[in-house]
Amino acid sequence: MGLQQIVLTTLIFASLGFFGYSVYRIYRLIRLGKPSYDPIDDWGWRIKSVLKDFFGQMSVVREPSGWGHFFIFWGFLVLGLATVEMFARGYNPHFQWGQILSHSIEAFLKTTFDLLGFSVMVAIVIAMIRGFIIRPERLSKLRGSAHGKFDAALILGMILTLMVSMFFTHGYIIKTEGELAGFTPVSNIFASFVTGSSDGTLPFRYHVAWWIHNLIILTFLAYIPHSKHVHLLGSLPNILLRRNPKDRKRGVLKKIDFEQVDFEAEGVSLGVGKIQDFTWPQLLDLYACTECGRCQQNCPAYQSGKELNPAMLIHDLKSYLNEVGPYLAAGKEPPNGKQLVGDVISEDIIWACTTCLGCVESCPVFIEHVDDLQDMRRYLVMDQAKVSPEVTKTLENMENIGNPWGLPHQNRLKWCEGLNVPMMSQKKEAEYLYWVGCAAALDTKNQNVARALVKILQTAGVDFAILGLEEKCTGDSARRLGQEFLFQNMAQGNIETLKKYKFKKILTTCPHCFNTIGNEYKQLGGDFEVVHHSEFISELIASGKIKPSKNLDKKVTYHDACYLGRHNGIYDAPRAVVNSVASGDVVEMQRTREKALCCGAGGGIMWMDEEPDKRVNLVRFGDVEASGAEVAATACPFCNIMLDDARKMKGKEDEVLVKDIAELVAEGL
Ligand code: SF4
Ligand code: SF4
């Protein structure tokens, strides 16, 4: 073996060894987490997801900027074969695939290397222009630090140099050994810049390009686990092992089995107070982040100027795990004493999340930010009793009176006085149990929605009844505010009440009630079929059971409620309802459907004081104004309140109306 082979072999083993050690280190850090909450089964679904979202890059190209990533990703995969050829030439200086493969396969490979290599070069140049010159807002935080900029520049620079050095080596090969097999226009262009050797010996400059190429590959391999490109290692397992919606729908929170918690055991906490309290899939999430910033762009908390930035949340959790994890894995106390909750992730960050799923929806590698934040919120509330006075009051109201407003329980029936609404306690049986919800029962603006729905039901001759004073808050806000114990108590009470009666479906105007009863009560033994009034009314109209007139002659836009849209995939039904009554223009806001901005009420934020200049509802109302709509149609009582408040705060009462779709329909009956 010559000197070149000895040096090359040593470097290959050193790089592979360091890479292997680094991967093992990350594996040990991830294993610090608790067991997965969700089952890891249904491998057919998992493999399909990897084929579609990892190899097919489908979740990445949902955004146009993802196409650059698509080409770099595939370029890298395929050019791995070109790299093998490059290394092989270190042992056999004139090696080409044609020596072991048929000529046609070699021609195909060479053409592919050429065109893909060029695509990668173009994609890298575009990424550099985008990252360093255009600098989109969504990359500002992640790449804003000196380290972030250096990391991005180093990686992009290395990939570009890899491609250029590959084309130069091809150029020298063409000039020295003759044309490459296949169609290689880019290599031919590079060949026109270089001179070969007439005696068939590869010139010195070829060796320079060849060494540059191989040294970069080996450096890249060693650097990946320590750079932002660690997602190359983390994203595939993260997609493969992620939560299956058939086990737990997106947005459905984990149930704490209090009977299984050993409160006497050392180090036991409710929620997540230490990094090792997260489950291992939550820790794996951290290494999958591509730092694309899409979650930041879609986060209402960030967009309204709050401290929470979901991209930085994942970034900071990863940095912290990298910092303290090695000590924890070795059974030692980390030296700096930095606490996860408070020092690394501030309480303001934890309390800013509206649980809108804007981040989760936009994440190309299926990171679950909401679970992380909710787990830390549970720790603050249940373990540390660190709760603001207004949250304490809300939780007390729910526990003692059965509604978060703290209004007298008897008020629940005021909205339906004189409407002749049947009660379940008398009827015992009905096709639909109309779950009114606290907002529609108690909030004056939303009482109109309940009355409108009753008018629709009575016009359509629907057999329905309500629980009346037997109905209590679903507990959604308690759960989102981190008080899982109270949620479970309230949910169990409601499940018992519901089980007393016979009905086919529960009907509700509130997406939060819809989500909690339909998706979360199952965790506690309450399996009910729930229908949201948007779908219900849309079907009544489609079947001709009600025929509202098209008397809405104002320009109207529909605001997607997070718990209806992103949480439950209902986007079309409310729009169909709006279209059926609108005689004027129906317009979409710029941020709409899956990308709609939250109104700011979810996650219990409804009950908290927001700083006046950081209110999410004002940002969202800005979207309504930008659409030019005179009516903002809603399908959620909380959106209804939040947008109405924003309208008043901005002094736009005379210009924009905020109305639920049920009201719009009832007005036309
Ligand atoms: S759920 Fe919504 S508010 Fe919470 S971090 Fe994600 S995007 Fe931001
Ligand atoms: S968490 Fe997901 S969306 Fe956010 S920066 Fe990372 S990869 Fe992008």
Side-chain angles (χ1 to χ4, degrees), residues 295 298-302 308 310 352-360 369-370 373:
C295 52
N298 290 322
C299 175
Y302 179 78
L308 168 60
C353 178
T354 67
T355 65
C356 71
L357 290 189
C359 49
V360 177
H369 319 67
V370 178
L373 289 161

Side-chain angles (χ1 to χ4, degrees), residues 142 288-295 310-311 314 359 362-365 367 369:
L142 291 158
C289 177
T290 64
E291 302 200 352
C292 65
R294 293 182 190 189
C295 52
I314 299 302
C359 49
S362 57
C363 182
V365 287
I367 288 172
H369 319 67

Side-chain angles (χ1 to χ4, degrees), residues 399-419:
E399 184 167 13
N400 301 330
I401 312 175
N403 72 76
W405 270 271
L407 290 168
H409 188 60
Q410 282 68 20
N411 288 15
R412 280 197 105 90
L413 282 178
K414 282 197 172 164
W415 68 273
C416 60
E417 280 169 5
L419 291 184

Side-chain angles (χ1 to χ4, degrees), residues 201-217:
T201 316
L202 288 156
F204 176 73
R205 276 160 298 175
Y206 160 84
H207 291 286
V208 173
W210 180 85
W211 268 110
I212 288 175
H213 185 89
N214 290 348
L215 284 176
I216 288 179
I217 285 280

